[in-house]
Each structure stands twice: as C-alpha cells, then as structure tokens.
Amino acid sequence: MRDSNRAFIVSGNLGCTLRESGSPRTYMKTIWKYEIKKLGFTCLELPKGAVARSCDIDMEGNACVWFEVDSTQPTESHFILAEGTGMSIDPSLTLSYIGMINDDGYMWHIYEVVGDFNAH
C-alpha cells in the first residue's frame, strides 16, 4: 500500500527531503571523495559519523576513499592506513578494513583506525 503523504525528492548533492504531512525534513547524507597517501597514515577531517564505502584510484591516479557523510555534522579526525601486501601492521592498532586498491600491480590495503589513534 502506498502512503500518499510521503514523497522523496532528490536534489543533486543536497541530499533528500522527506515530506510527511506537509512538513519537510532535510537529510544531508552524500558521498564525498577524499585523497589518501598510498603508503602510511593519512589524517582526514570528516563529518562526525562518516562511513567508508569504497576505495580506489580516481581518474587522476590518486588513491581515494569515498565516505558517506552527513554534511550538517561537525568534523572530527579520522586516520586511514594504507599498507602494501606483505608489509607488517602494528598489532596494537584496532583497524577496520575498508578495501584494496590495485595501482598498476601494487596492492594497497586500506584500513580505518578505530578508537583513539593519538594514544599510540
């Protein structure tokens, strides 16, 4: 059954507006691209609650991670680690695997540091 009081309106990079009973609510979730170093740590300032969705080489040859973000949130530091196949990873770090980037035969494994990186 279709709810006639609900309609989604997509408006470019501005996100979606959900209208219920005539009162609009705006959601500012979008996908943003962030360039990272191909080896080692990159500190990114991301909106709070950002979620990594993909990683790859962009059209200019840069290693990048795409995050789903809510642009209305304040920013916080996120640390991204890129390591090559066979390289050692600090076992004291708590990491969340984002994915792998194939860069002309070099395989980079991309992680996000979970928790307080500054404690290391």
Side-chain angles (χ1 to χ4, degrees):
M1 180 175 193
R2 184 165 186 244
D3 182 353
S4 61
N5 291 330
R6 204 175 264 223
F8 288 96
I9 301 170
V10 178
S11 53
N13 290 335
L14 299 178
C16 294
T17 300
L18 175 62
R19 295 179 192 231
E20 293 188 54
S21 305
S23 62
R25 293 188 330 207
T26 301
Y27 295 89
M28 299 303 289
K29 284 208 171 186
T30 55
I31 301 290
W32 288 358
K33 177 179 88 170
Y34 293 86
E35 187 176 331
I36 62 169
K37 296 176 187 174
K38 291 182 182 175
L39 181 61
F41 290 97
T42 302
C43 179
L44 301 174
E45 291 300 316
L46 305 173
K48 186 175 179 176
V51 177
R53 294 298 185 197
S54 182
C55 59
D56 207 342
I57 299 295
D58 69 6
M59 292 173 55
E60 291 81 32
N62 303 307
C64 297
V65 178
W66 283 260
F67 286 87
E68 181 178 308
V69 301
D70 178 347
S71 61
T72 64
Q73 295 298 309
T75 61
E76 61 185 6
S77 296
H78 288 244
F79 293 90
I80 306 301
L81 172 63
E83 290 290 355
T85 299
M87 299 178 101
S88 61
I89 297 172
D90 183 344
S92 69
L93 293 173
T94 303
L95 302 170
S96 176
Y97 191 72
I98 297 171
M100 182 177 61
I101 295 174
N102 181 342
D103 181 25
D104 262 347
Y106 293 98
M107 303 309 285
W108 303 108
H109 302 275
I110 312 301
Y111 299 87
E112 183 171 5
V113 177
V114 179
D116 187 14
F117 178 73
N118 294 318
H120 286 79

